[in-house]
Amino acid sequence: MNAIEALARALVGCRFRLHGRNPATGLDCVGVVACAASVQAPRGYSLRGGSVAAVAAALVDQGFSEVDEARAGDVLLMQAGPAQLHLAVRTSIGFVHADAGLRRVVERPGAPDWEVLGIWRRLS
């Protein structure tokens, strides 16, 4: 298990909080990725909207490179709903993400039901 996967799995059970950046007080999907990858999370985004290009640029700025095939520890960018982008960390059994409906960070087995728009890997 790589470090990003291990850190993401350690976040399972944290409560959900929009714009949350601290596992003790709550995380959103951006917070989960930032904590798991030990990178600075962007601020000032809304629950809906945003662009794939902006998310991709933010990931590249943090040392990620886009890849074709997902493996454990990679960041998945998905289309979770109309105009709603969502991030998750791929694990060896599924993916970890902040589930707003369940109000906590969870690990789901298997592939996500949402369309995967891109996959990024931290190479440094």
Side-chain angles (χ1 to χ4, degrees), residues 4-98:
I4 294 175
E5 177 185 14
L7 287 169
R9 291 178 108 181
L11 298 170
V12 170
C14 292
R15 74 180 198 132
F16 174 85
R17 182 172 155 234
L18 184 61
H19 297 134
R21 299 293 179 267
N22 184 331
T25 58
L27 300 168
D28 66 4
C29 67
V30 175
V32 168
V33 169
C35 287
S38 302
V39 297
Q40 187 70 25
R43 298 199 180 273
Y45 55 88
S46 64
L47 184 60
R48 298 213 186 271
S51 74
V52 173
V55 174
L59 287 166
V60 168
D61 285 347
Q62 293 293 336
F64 288 84
S65 294
E66 192 166 10
V67 295
D68 293 326
E69 297 281 328
R71 67 181 188 208
D74 289 348
V75 174
L76 308 175
L77 173 61
M78 299 169 287
Q79 184 78 46
Q84 186 174 3
L85 300 177
H86 189 57
L87 294 171
V89 176
R90 181 79 174 132
T91 67
S92 54
I93 65 165
F95 62 102
V96 170
H97 74 113

XYZ file of all heavy atoms in Angstrom, residues 4-98:
676
model
N -0.200 7.540 -0.095
C -1.447 8.272 -0.335
C -2.645 7.375 -0.049
O -3.605 7.801 0.602
C -1.487 8.855 -1.762
C -0.410 9.936 -1.910
C -2.873 9.403 -2.101
C -0.273 10.512 -3.308
N -2.602 6.131 -0.491
C -3.690 5.207 -0.196
C -3.831 5.012 1.318
O -4.943 5.060 1.860
C -3.459 3.852 -0.869
C -4.534 2.838 -0.516
C -4.273 1.445 -1.059
O -3.151 1.146 -1.502
O -5.220 0.636 -1.026
N -2.726 4.807 2.010
C -2.769 4.584 3.462
C -3.344 5.799 4.188
O -4.187 5.642 5.080
C -1.369 4.267 3.983
N -2.925 6.991 3.798
C -3.443 8.196 4.445
C -4.923 8.399 4.127
O -5.699 8.806 4.998
C -2.622 9.414 4.029
C -1.218 9.489 4.647
C -0.389 10.581 3.984
C -1.300 9.713 6.139
N -5.338 8.105 2.903
C -6.757 8.223 2.542
C -7.599 7.256 3.367
O -8.648 7.634 3.906
C -6.951 7.969 1.047
N -7.145 6.031 3.496
C -7.897 5.035 4.263
C -7.963 5.414 5.744
O -8.952 5.116 6.412
C -7.290 3.661 4.072
C -7.500 3.157 2.641
C -6.871 1.837 2.421
N -7.957 0.858 2.331
C -7.763 -0.419 2.161
N -6.530 -0.901 2.097
N -8.783 -1.231 2.054
N -6.942 6.089 6.244
C -6.948 6.527 7.640
C -7.996 7.617 7.883
O -8.401 7.837 9.028
C -5.558 7.033 8.036
N -8.449 8.284 6.825
C -9.455 9.345 6.949
C -10.885 8.814 6.990
O -11.816 9.558 7.308
C -9.316 10.335 5.793
C -7.980 11.079 5.722
C -7.873 11.845 4.413
C -7.812 11.992 6.919
N -11.068 7.529 6.669
C -12.405 6.945 6.663
C -13.032 7.112 8.049
O -12.404 6.827 9.064
C -12.362 5.462 6.237
C -13.703 4.776 6.466
C -11.944 5.350 4.774
N -14.252 7.620 8.049
C -14.962 7.866 9.302
C -14.999 9.331 9.701
O -15.834 9.729 10.512
N -14.083 10.152 9.136
C -14.126 11.588 9.431
C -15.449 12.155 8.929
O -15.986 11.708 7.926
C -12.981 12.320 8.716
S -11.349 11.925 9.333
N -15.947 13.158 9.604
C -17.218 13.730 9.178
C -17.031 14.585 7.927
O -15.930 15.061 7.639
C -17.878 14.522 10.297
C -17.277 15.831 10.596
C -18.026 16.524 11.726
N -17.672 17.934 11.683
C -18.513 18.926 11.739
N -19.796 18.694 11.900
N -18.100 20.162 11.671
N -18.128 14.759 7.192
C -18.137 15.604 6.007
C -18.334 17.058 6.421
O -19.155 17.362 7.289
C -19.280 15.207 5.063
C -19.415 16.133 3.889
C -18.655 15.942 2.752
C -20.274 17.217 3.944
C -18.757 16.820 1.684
C -20.385 18.095 2.879
C -19.626 17.895 1.744
N -17.583 17.942 5.784
C -17.772 19.376 5.975
C -17.323 20.078 4.706
O -16.167 19.923 4.285
C -16.956 19.867 7.167
C -17.159 21.339 7.432
C -16.489 21.748 8.749
N -16.203 23.162 8.654
C -15.006 23.699 8.847
N -13.988 22.944 9.163
N -14.850 24.985 8.746
N -18.224 20.824 4.066
C -17.878 21.566 2.859
C -16.722 22.508 3.155
O -16.745 23.223 4.166
C -19.090 22.357 2.345
C -18.874 23.104 1.033
C -18.522 22.134 -0.093
C -20.108 23.908 0.662
N -15.711 22.478 2.311
C -14.468 23.232 2.455
C -13.656 22.788 3.673
O -12.741 23.501 4.094
C -14.705 24.748 2.493
C -15.296 25.262 1.225
N -16.345 26.137 1.213
C -15.021 25.002 -0.065
C -16.689 26.405 -0.035
N -15.890 25.718 -0.833
N -13.974 21.625 4.224
C -13.240 21.102 5.364
C -11.835 20.675 4.989
O -11.622 20.030 3.966
N -10.887 21.030 5.841
C -9.478 20.724 5.595
C -8.812 20.008 6.758
O -7.653 19.642 6.681
C -8.690 22.020 5.331
C -9.163 22.798 4.124
C -8.855 21.997 2.856
N -9.313 22.688 1.675
C -10.507 22.493 1.103
N -11.361 21.642 1.619
N -10.844 23.138 0.020
N -9.544 19.800 7.822
C -8.970 19.212 9.024
C -9.758 17.949 9.373
O -10.965 18.025 9.594
C -9.053 20.228 10.163
C -8.399 19.751 11.429
O -8.327 18.555 11.703
N -7.929 20.692 12.236
N -9.098 16.798 9.439
C -9.814 15.568 9.780
C -10.568 15.641 11.110
O -11.593 14.999 11.279
C -8.708 14.511 9.837
C -7.615 15.058 8.986
C -7.681 16.551 9.152
N -10.093 16.456 12.021
C -10.756 16.560 13.326
C -12.086 17.303 13.249
O -12.981 17.053 14.050
C -9.827 17.264 14.325
N -12.228 18.196 12.274
C -13.457 18.989 12.175
C -14.283 18.663 10.937
O -15.434 19.080 10.851
C -13.135 20.495 12.191
O -12.257 20.803 11.101
C -12.497 20.893 13.509
N -13.725 17.947 9.986
C -14.469 17.531 8.802
C -13.741 17.836 7.510
O -12.920 18.755 7.437
N -14.057 17.034 6.490
C -13.413 17.133 5.182
C -14.447 17.070 4.074
O -15.459 16.373 4.200
C -12.433 15.970 4.978
C -11.286 15.828 5.969
C -10.604 14.479 5.796
C -10.296 16.968 5.797
N -14.161 17.753 2.974
C -14.900 17.517 1.745
C -13.974 16.731 0.821
O -12.889 16.306 1.242
C -15.413 18.826 1.127
C -14.316 19.765 0.640
O -13.120 19.409 0.694
O -14.671 20.879 0.205
N -14.379 16.518 -0.425
C -13.566 15.684 -1.314
C -12.196 16.291 -1.586
O -11.199 15.570 -1.678
C -14.303 15.375 -2.611
S -14.616 16.780 -3.704
N -12.123 17.607 -1.676
C -10.837 18.276 -1.882
C -9.967 18.110 -0.639
O -8.766 17.845 -0.742
C -11.050 19.763 -2.233
C -9.722 20.495 -2.341
C -11.841 19.896 -3.532
N -10.573 18.229 0.523
C -9.841 18.032 1.765
C -9.300 16.627 1.920
O -8.189 16.432 2.415
N -10.077 15.635 1.492
C -9.608 14.239 1.545
C -8.352 14.083 0.696
O -7.343 13.540 1.154
C -10.704 13.257 1.087
C -10.136 11.863 0.850
C -11.841 13.204 2.093
N -8.397 14.571 -0.533
C -7.230 14.444 -1.422
C -6.052 15.222 -0.866
O -4.924 14.715 -0.851
C -7.588 14.898 -2.857
C -6.342 15.035 -3.722
C -8.563 13.912 -3.490
N -6.289 16.444 -0.396
C -5.192 17.254 0.138
C -4.536 16.591 1.343
O -3.310 16.537 1.434
C -5.705 18.642 0.508
N -5.347 16.072 2.256
C -4.785 15.397 3.444
C -4.049 14.118 3.062
O -2.958 13.853 3.567
C -5.892 15.092 4.449
S -6.519 16.534 5.321
N -4.640 13.329 2.177
C -4.023 12.057 1.784
C -2.712 12.270 1.036
O -1.764 11.509 1.217
C -4.995 11.246 0.935
N -2.664 13.312 0.208
C -1.467 13.559 -0.600
C -0.513 14.552 0.059
O 0.546 14.841 -0.496
C -1.873 14.077 -1.973
N -0.898 15.069 1.227
C -0.079 16.050 1.949
C 0.264 17.252 1.071
O 1.423 17.642 0.939
C 1.198 15.397 2.482
O 0.879 14.321 3.334
N -0.793 17.825 0.446
C -0.622 18.996 -0.399
C -1.564 20.104 0.068
O -2.496 19.866 0.837
C -0.886 18.687 -1.891
C 0.120 17.660 -2.413
C -2.313 18.224 -2.129
N -1.326 21.305 -0.428
C -2.167 22.467 -0.132
C -3.458 22.363 -0.937
O -3.422 22.123 -2.140
C -1.417 23.746 -0.508
C -2.111 25.012 -0.092
C -2.094 25.216 1.407
O -1.236 24.711 2.110
N -3.052 25.961 1.899
N -4.584 22.548 -0.290
C -5.877 22.480 -0.964
C -6.310 23.862 -1.420
O -6.126 24.840 -0.699
C -6.932 21.902 -0.025
N -6.910 23.943 -2.604
C -7.442 25.238 -3.050
C -8.650 25.635 -2.213
O -9.287 24.792 -1.580
C -7.833 24.976 -4.501
C -8.074 23.511 -4.582
C -7.146 22.885 -3.572
N -8.981 26.896 -2.236
C -10.145 27.419 -1.509
C -11.004 28.212 -2.483
O -10.610 28.505 -3.589
C -9.695 28.321 -0.370
C -8.853 27.590 0.658
C -8.803 28.351 1.976
N -7.994 27.641 2.944
C -8.454 26.700 3.755
N -9.706 26.354 3.715
N -7.659 26.108 4.622
N -12.194 28.570 -2.024
C -13.032 29.467 -2.801
C -13.772 28.829 -3.955
O -14.086 29.500 -4.925
N -14.077 27.568 -3.883
C -14.849 26.916 -4.938
C -16.237 26.599 -4.382
O -16.455 26.517 -3.186
C -14.159 25.634 -5.422
C -13.857 24.666 -4.307
C -14.799 23.725 -3.907
C -12.649 24.711 -3.637
C -14.533 22.857 -2.857
C -12.378 23.856 -2.589
C -13.334 22.937 -2.213
O -13.083 22.087 -1.169
N -17.184 26.412 -5.291
C -18.551 26.108 -4.862
C -18.816 24.616 -4.992
O -18.052 23.886 -5.627
C -19.560 26.902 -5.695
O -19.480 26.496 -7.045
N -19.914 24.188 -4.403
C -20.297 22.781 -4.475
C -20.579 22.367 -5.916
O -20.282 21.259 -6.325
C -21.523 22.520 -3.590
C -22.007 21.087 -3.477
C -20.915 20.197 -2.907
C -23.246 21.018 -2.596
N -21.144 23.258 -6.675
C -21.425 22.985 -8.094
C -20.622 23.946 -8.951
O -20.300 25.046 -8.547
C -22.910 23.144 -8.373
C -23.748 22.179 -7.592
C -24.982 21.779 -8.378
N -25.873 20.949 -7.587
C -25.803 19.627 -7.531
N -24.887 18.998 -8.202
N -26.646 18.946 -6.808
N -20.329 23.501 -10.148
C -19.582 24.341 -11.072
C -18.121 23.955 -11.090
O -17.732 22.894 -10.646
N -17.311 24.839 -11.586
C -15.891 24.539 -11.718
C -15.612 23.895 -13.060
O -16.527 23.507 -13.783
N -14.365 23.797 -13.387
C -13.997 23.212 -14.677
C -12.946 22.133 -14.487
O -12.123 22.203 -13.569
C -13.476 24.292 -15.624
O -12.173 24.694 -15.253
N -12.992 21.177 -15.376
C -11.997 20.109 -15.366
C -10.607 20.702 -15.541
O -9.655 20.297 -14.865
C -12.314 19.062 -16.453
C -11.203 18.036 -16.573
C -13.645 18.386 -16.171
N -10.480 21.689 -16.424
C -9.175 22.308 -16.677
C -8.618 22.964 -15.414
O -7.419 22.859 -15.137
C -9.290 23.328 -17.801
N -9.473 23.618 -14.635
C -9.013 24.266 -13.402
C -8.565 23.236 -12.373
O -7.548 23.421 -11.696
C -10.116 25.154 -12.825
N -9.313 22.143 -12.242
C -8.927 21.076 -11.310
C -7.620 20.443 -11.763
O -6.715 20.218 -10.958
C -10.041 20.018 -11.172
C -9.579 18.849 -10.316
C -11.308 20.643 -10.596
N -7.504 20.178 -13.063
C -6.275 19.589 -13.602
C -5.074 20.484 -13.333
O -4.014 20.015 -12.907
C -6.431 19.331 -15.098
N -5.238 21.778 -13.541
C -4.142 22.723 -13.306
C -3.741 22.739 -11.833
O -2.548 22.776 -11.506
C -4.544 24.122 -13.767
N -4.720 22.695 -10.939
C -4.417 22.674 -9.506
C -3.661 21.403 -9.127
O -2.722 21.449 -8.318
C -5.705 22.790 -8.696
N -4.046 20.272 -9.692
C -3.349 19.016 -9.403
C -1.915 19.045 -9.941
O -0.976 18.634 -9.258
C -4.129 17.832 -9.975
C -5.410 17.482 -9.218
C -6.284 16.549 -10.042
C -5.091 16.869 -7.867
N -1.747 19.543 -11.145
C -0.398 19.646 -11.734
C 0.469 20.562 -10.881
O 1.644 20.262 -10.623
C -0.483 20.123 -13.198
C 0.891 20.518 -13.737
C -1.100 19.019 -14.070
N -0.100 21.675 -10.411
C 0.647 22.597 -9.546
C 1.118 21.921 -8.264
O 2.095 22.357 -7.653
C -0.204 23.813 -9.178
C -0.350 24.796 -10.329
O 0.391 24.681 -11.335
O -1.226 25.684 -10.219
N 0.425 20.878 -7.843
C 0.783 20.156 -6.619
C 1.637 18.911 -6.890
O 1.811 18.070 -6.012
C -0.478 19.774 -5.844
C -1.224 20.960 -5.294
C -0.446 21.694 -4.207
O 0.420 21.144 -3.542
N -0.751 22.968 -4.041
N 2.135 18.766 -8.124
C 3.058 17.673 -8.433
C 2.421 16.417 -8.974
O 3.056 15.354 -8.993
N 1.176 16.499 -9.434
C 0.507 15.344 -10.027
C 0.640 15.372 -11.544
O 0.723 16.440 -12.141
C -0.990 15.340 -9.670
C -1.275 15.006 -8.240
C -1.227 15.981 -7.266
C -1.592 13.711 -7.866
C -1.495 15.683 -5.935
C -1.865 13.397 -6.547
C -1.816 14.386 -5.577
N 0.630 14.194 -12.145
C 0.629 14.058 -13.604
C -0.558 13.210 -14.005
O -0.875 12.220 -13.332
C 1.913 13.391 -14.093
O 3.024 14.216 -13.838
N -1.178 13.572 -15.119
C -2.321 12.794 -15.589
C -1.830 11.463 -16.161
O -0.803 11.409 -16.837
C -3.114 13.565 -16.640
C -4.453 12.924 -16.922
C -5.405 13.812 -17.691
O -4.997 14.871 -18.197
O -6.576 13.421 -17.771
N -2.563 10.395 -15.849
C -2.234 9.051 -16.324
C -3.486 8.417 -16.929
O -4.597 8.916 -16.749
C -1.676 8.160 -15.185
C -0.344 8.712 -14.676
C -2.665 8.021 -14.047
N -3.290 7.325 -17.638
C -4.403 6.663 -18.328
C -5.107 5.599 -17.493
O -6.306 5.412 -17.616
C -3.912 6.017 -19.631
C -3.464 7.045 -20.650
O -4.059 8.140 -20.686
O -2.520 6.765 -21.402
N -4.365 4.879 -16.683
C -4.917 3.772 -15.897
C -4.775 4.063 -14.410
O -3.701 4.449 -13.960
C -4.175 2.471 -16.221
C -4.304 2.008 -17.658
C -5.619 1.315 -17.920
O -6.144 0.660 -17.002
O -6.123 1.426 -19.046
N -5.841 3.853 -13.657
C -5.806 4.127 -12.220
C -5.200 2.978 -11.440
O -5.435 1.808 -11.752
C -7.221 4.398 -11.709
N -4.434 3.338 -10.420
C -3.934 2.363 -9.452
C -4.061 2.985 -8.072
O -4.320 4.185 -7.926
C -2.515 1.923 -9.782
C -1.464 2.971 -9.638
C -0.096 2.414 -10.017
N 0.941 3.368 -9.701
C 2.080 3.444 -10.332
N 2.359 2.619 -11.314
N 2.979 4.335 -9.982
N -3.864 2.188 -7.059
C -4.021 2.654 -5.675
C -3.166 3.890 -5.426
O -2.000 3.932 -5.813
C -3.660 1.543 -4.703
N -3.778 4.893 -4.796
C -3.096 6.141 -4.495
C -3.323 7.232 -5.516
O -2.972 8.386 -5.274
N -3.932 6.919 -6.646
C -4.210 7.920 -7.667
C -5.446 8.741 -7.303
O -6.333 8.274 -6.580
C -4.451 7.264 -9.034
C -3.188 6.681 -9.644
O -2.081 6.962 -9.151
O -3.327 5.933 -10.632
N -5.500 9.952 -7.815
C -6.644 10.836 -7.613
C -7.572 10.713 -8.818
O -7.130 10.809 -9.963
C -6.188 12.302 -7.444
C -7.386 13.242 -7.385
C -5.325 12.442 -6.201
N -8.842 10.477 -8.532
C -9.865 10.384 -9.572
C -10.677 11.664 -9.578
O -11.132 12.122 -8.519
C -10.803 9.211 -9.295
C -10.173 7.837 -9.054
C -11.258 6.832 -8.682
C -9.406 7.389 -10.285
N -10.871 12.239 -10.745
C -11.785 13.360 -10.919
C -13.006 12.817 -11.629
O -12.888 12.227 -12.705
C -11.153 14.483 -11.735
C -12.079 15.637 -12.116
C -12.623 16.346 -10.867
C -11.377 16.613 -13.034
N -14.177 13.003 -11.008
C -15.401 12.402 -11.538
C -16.492 13.447 -11.705
O -16.450 14.505 -11.082
C -15.873 11.303 -10.581
C -14.846 10.192 -10.423
S -15.232 9.052 -9.094
C -14.879 10.040 -7.663
N -17.465 13.108 -12.529
C -18.676 13.911 -12.713
C -19.748 13.265 -11.853
O -20.353 12.267 -12.231
C -19.092 13.895 -14.192
C -20.276 14.763 -14.515
C -19.887 16.217 -14.609
O -18.898 16.559 -15.235
N -20.656 17.059 -13.973
N -19.982 13.815 -10.657
C -20.913 13.209 -9.703
C -22.360 13.612 -9.943
O -23.274 12.975 -9.433
C -20.516 13.576 -8.274
N -22.573 14.657 -10.713
C -23.914 15.133 -11.013
C -23.814 16.281 -11.992
O -22.714 16.663 -12.404
N -24.943 16.843 -12.368
C -24.902 17.981 -13.295
C -24.066 19.121 -12.716
O -24.325 19.578 -11.599
C -26.372 18.389 -13.429
C -27.148 17.190 -13.011
C -26.299 16.485 -11.992
N -23.041 19.505 -13.429
C -22.144 20.590 -13.011
C -21.511 20.342 -11.646
O -21.188 21.268 -10.927
C -22.880 21.928 -13.031
N -21.331 19.068 -11.272
C -20.746 18.747 -9.973
C -19.550 17.818 -10.156
O -19.705 16.631 -10.455
C -21.774 18.096 -9.064
C -21.255 17.887 -7.664
C -22.322 17.378 -6.718
O -23.446 17.117 -7.106
N -21.965 17.226 -5.468
N -18.354 18.395 -9.957
C -17.127 17.606 -10.008
C -16.855 17.039 -8.626
O -17.238 17.616 -7.612
C -15.957 18.482 -10.464
C -16.108 19.120 -11.841
C -14.916 20.022 -12.144
C -16.265 18.058 -12.924
N -16.178 15.893 -8.589
C -15.925 15.216 -7.318
C -14.576 14.520 -7.392
O -14.235 13.917 -8.415
C -17.036 14.196 -7.061
C -17.012 13.576 -5.711
N -17.071 14.305 -4.544
C -16.944 12.275 -5.328
C -17.042 13.479 -3.507
N -16.961 12.245 -3.958
N -13.805 14.597 -6.311
C -12.500 13.949 -6.221
C -12.555 12.759 -5.275
O -13.321 12.757 -4.309
C -11.451 14.932 -5.700
C -11.101 16.111 -6.595
C -10.210 17.089 -5.837
C -10.433 15.653 -7.870
N -11.706 11.781 -5.554
C -11.574 10.607 -4.694
C -10.162 10.064 -4.842
O -9.448 10.400 -5.786
C -12.592 9.533 -5.086
N -9.778 9.205 -3.908
C -8.489 8.519 -3.971
C -8.760 7.052 -4.232
O -9.513 6.397 -3.508
C -7.691 8.690 -2.656
C -6.400 7.882 -2.702
C -7.393 10.156 -2.392
N -8.154 6.531 -5.293
C -8.279 5.115 -5.641
C -7.549 4.288 -4.593
O -6.468 4.665 -4.135
C -7.694 4.873 -7.029
C -7.796 3.466 -7.501
C -9.199 3.190 -8.013
N -9.233 1.861 -8.601
C -10.164 0.963 -8.321
N -11.148 1.248 -7.506
N -10.139 -0.216 -8.875
N -8.137 3.178 -4.188
C -7.490 2.251 -3.255
C -7.388 0.881 -3.914
O -7.923 0.662 -5.002
C -8.272 2.135 -1.925
O -9.528 1.502 -2.176
C -8.476 3.498 -1.280
N -6.758 -0.035 -3.234
C -6.599 -1.383 -3.787
C -7.926 -2.122 -3.882
O -8.038 -3.089 -4.635
C -5.590 -2.180 -2.960
O -5.971 -2.166 -1.602
N -8.948 -1.663 -3.138
C -10.254 -2.342 -3.209
C -11.373 -1.465 -3.758
O -12.469 -1.934 -3.989
C -10.683 -2.899 -1.840
C -10.935 -1.775 -0.843
C -9.679 -3.907 -1.314
C -11.706 -2.227 0.385
N -11.109 -0.184 -3.962
C -12.157 0.716 -4.433
C -11.674 2.148 -4.439
O -10.687 2.477 -5.080
N -12.366 3.003 -3.680
C -11.972 4.400 -3.607
C -12.476 5.028 -2.307
O -13.491 4.620 -1.762
C -12.465 5.195 -4.819
C -13.962 5.252 -4.968
C -14.672 6.390 -4.599
C -14.676 4.179 -5.486
C -16.053 6.446 -4.736
C -16.056 4.227 -5.629
C -16.752 5.365 -5.253
N -11.719 6.025 -1.827
C -12.081 6.790 -0.638
C -12.548 8.164 -1.097
O -11.899 8.797 -1.930
C -10.872 6.932 0.323
C -11.179 7.922 1.440
C -10.486 5.579 0.897
N -13.686 8.603 -0.542
C -14.182 9.938 -0.876
C -15.036 10.480 0.257
O -15.465 9.742 1.142
C -14.969 9.917 -2.193
C -16.329 9.305 -2.085
N -17.476 10.037 -2.245
C -16.733 8.033 -1.826
C -18.533 9.243 -2.103
N -18.101 8.030 -1.847
N -15.276 11.779 0.227
C -16.160 12.432 1.201
C -17.583 12.341 0.660
O -17.887 12.907 -0.381
C -15.742 13.879 1.407
